[in-house]
Amino acid sequence: MSIASNSTVIILGSTGSIGTQGLDVISRHPERFTVTGLAAGGAHIELLAQQAAQFHVSEVAVFDETKVPALQAALAQAGAQGVRVTGGPDSVIAMAGSGANVVLNGITGSIGLEPSIAALKAGSQLALANKESVVAGGHLLFSAQVRENQINPVDSEHSAIWQSLRSGTHAEVAKLVVTASGGPFRGWKRVDMENITPEQALHHPTWNMGPVVTINSSTLMNKGLEVIEASRLFNVPPERIDVTVHPQSIVHSMVEFVDGATICQASPPDMRLPIALGLSAPDRMTNVAAACDWTKAATWTFEPLDDEAFPAVQLARHCLAASEKHTAVLNAANEQAVHAFLDHRLPYLGIVDTVKAVLDQMDAELRGNPLFTDVEEMNQLELEARRRADNLINKQW
């Protein structure tokens, strides 16, 4: 679908990394976009108010309903007049489903699924950076589409695949290749990781992201989630999706075709590029991000993934092959374990170990009916996965 020249846009997670960069892209193209709504969790009320004032939005929603009075005061302080303020998860879902031309979902976590579904059902084009919508929700998300090609992937890897797929038909695709920077512990062995601290794990060599995504990048759980997402977004079986470590983070992913050709999307690491394409596809915008400088020498390297040191990708592959419910449990247990690690309640190696232990506990009960009937069933299963993760964390560490 081609986005209108003056599109209305709603941004979910506007104070996070994706949201702030999305607003930066929009600020450079005021003739193309009108921001009508912003939603955020509630941790950065002053920033949210400043965004609302700068972009003259008509509505702001905050997940944490208790932050509504503080947000109203911050809006007044920022000089934002006539802004409707709502609070609670339902208000964010309602905003997502209000019928904007484009909804950019930059929410972190499976809480982003219901807003994604609401946007699709309302006919909006969904610029999707919330990978958990695909990992946890699977067919619930795709079945909410009211037309084909309603989802524009925003993750840099999936945007790269999406762009590279323009070079051939689906039948001509031999393999998808997802690239990984390797994170801060590239080249480390498992024995070297026993005493890693949150401060070390939060120091990513390439990307500036939120804490959960950054920890996932360090364990390479993010690559596992991306393999699941790529398989479901592009309808390619997991055995035809490879992961390669590319520390320069210039090649963002690749598509190998049946004739032996491999097409890649390359650019300096800058999330504004996939965000911009997610907002404007199939058209490209000017003044988005810097291109590679071909007048300077550069070396790009690729190396195999060390599955022994970083077992998260293989664990994700196992869940993808098993069922949608397995991938939901994988995601929920991982979120719980990451938060425990950040709170110094779980050692670094305990993150993936805890996720695997939860999956082992729940495997038999997950295999009865592999698909969710609705979001409530998914939410209940995630709650149980989180509960079991907490029990393991409290007992073993």
Side-chain angles (χ1 to χ4, degrees), residues 340-357:
F341 170 68
L342 290 170
D343 291 341
H344 298 272
R345 295 185 291 111
L346 183 68
Y348 183 76
L349 291 178
I351 298 173
V352 178
D353 288 350
T354 297
V355 177
K356 184 179 185 304

Side-chain angles (χ1 to χ4, degrees), residues 169-185:
T169 67
H170 188 274
E172 294 170 333
V173 174
K175 187 182 297 184
L176 307 182
V177 183
V178 177
T179 57
S181 70
F185 310 122

Side-chain angles (χ1 to χ4, degrees), residues 22 58-59 67 96 106 108 116 119 140 173 233 236 243 279 282 304 319 321 356 362:
S58 57
E59 183 178 359
K67 298 295 180 67
T108 297
S116 290
L140 295 174
V173 174
L233 278 173
V236 173
V243 175
L279 291 171
C319 291
K356 184 179 185 304
M362 300 182 69

Side-chain angles (χ1 to χ4, degrees), residues 76-100:
Q77 182 69 28
Q81 302 296 324
V83 180
R84 179 170 178 257
V85 179
T86 59
D90 287 345
S91 70
V92 178
I93 296 168
M95 176 185 285
S98 61

